[in-house]
Amino acid sequence: MGADARNCYAGVVDDPVTPWRAALPAQHRALRAIERDMAAAGVVALSWYDVLLELDAAPGRQLRMQDLAARTVLSRTRVSRLVDDLVRAGLVTRQPDPDDGRASLATLTTEGRRARRAAAPVYLAGIQEHFARHLTATERAQVARALTKVVAAHDATG
Amino acid sequence: MGADARNCYAGVVDDPVTPWRAALPAQHRALRAIERDMAAAGVVALSWYDVLLELDAAPGRQLRMQDLAARTVLSRTRVSRLVDDLVRAGLVTRQPDPDDGRASLATLTTEGRRARRAAAPVYLAGIQEHFARHLTATERAQVARALTKVVAAHDATG
DNA sequence: CAAGATTGAGTCATCAATCTTA
DNA sequence: TAAGATTGATGACTCAATCTTG
């Protein structure tokens, strides 16, 4: 773990690059492993799960496309296409927003809830196995606190 | 920040899901912002930068495709295609490995080094602006330590 | 046969342009 | 005119299959 050209701050007391360059592979590898587990278990894909999860947590189990995008790591465009797929699979319905004719609402169906519940144990086990298990409770809390601040800062600036 | 259906562990003392679900948007948004900055500054894209960075840090400024993939968040397939592009741009050359006829080596060119150096300030400023700035020195060290452990665990298990 | 790398085909994700309504 | 959403075109990424060498 010696200093090398990959990081000109290596060994310096305060280093802005190392946490960033640790986060990249940590998240990427855990993500891929969780996705593999979910596919192997025959449950919905992670991107579907994220959408179903946010809808299940929303009031009336429905959200506008834009709000769905804001709550996930998906673009508005991607959400639009993902909801198409979910509607085709019967997990979600799409209705116009009665309060704003421009907006459209995605609503979770009973089958959508069932699909989310079926996937939940695989999802939680994947997070445990490929991410949380490798950290102490203190470290998990530290990571949660720090990265929540980063997200909050991005939300604030737009 | 109250408990809701999105996280059945919310409020519980030790929560494996919250740090994971904070890491996803934190990294995604910072990544996109850094990529935008690099594009706006007219320097190489982030994926190119990562490859150039690892080559510059390697002995002889060259690496086999597989080793390049292991040091980045890119698949072997993606590295193969990315190196094609870099060769076409004159930033890298590709030679067969003299020690193993199956392997091929990517080597950084002088122009490749120059491109990396030109991009470095934008890259570092982006990490600072969109990620590190929002954390204290202590938090940065905590994140680095924790996520490095996750990566090490993945390396160990294969 | 196993390992390293590349190619073909398909999916995922984004930008710019468009359509509709406020 | 601006906001919400969708569509078309394009590039990024991955899996499976293939080629080559150990």
Side-chain angles (χ1 to χ4, degrees), chain B residues 28 32 64-66 77 80-81 94 102-104:
Chain B
H28 186 258
R32 302 300 310 274
R64 300 189 312 168
M65 298 296 121
Q66 196 166 5
T77 296
S80 187
R81 302 199 146 115
R94 194 201 290 267
R102 297 170 301 178
S104 76

Side-chain angles (χ1 to χ4, degrees), chain A residues 32 64-66 77 80-81 94 102-104:
Chain A
R32 301 299 310 275
R64 300 190 310 168
M65 297 296 121
Q66 197 166 3
T77 297
S80 187
R81 301 200 148 115
R94 195 201 290 267
R102 297 170 300 181
S104 75

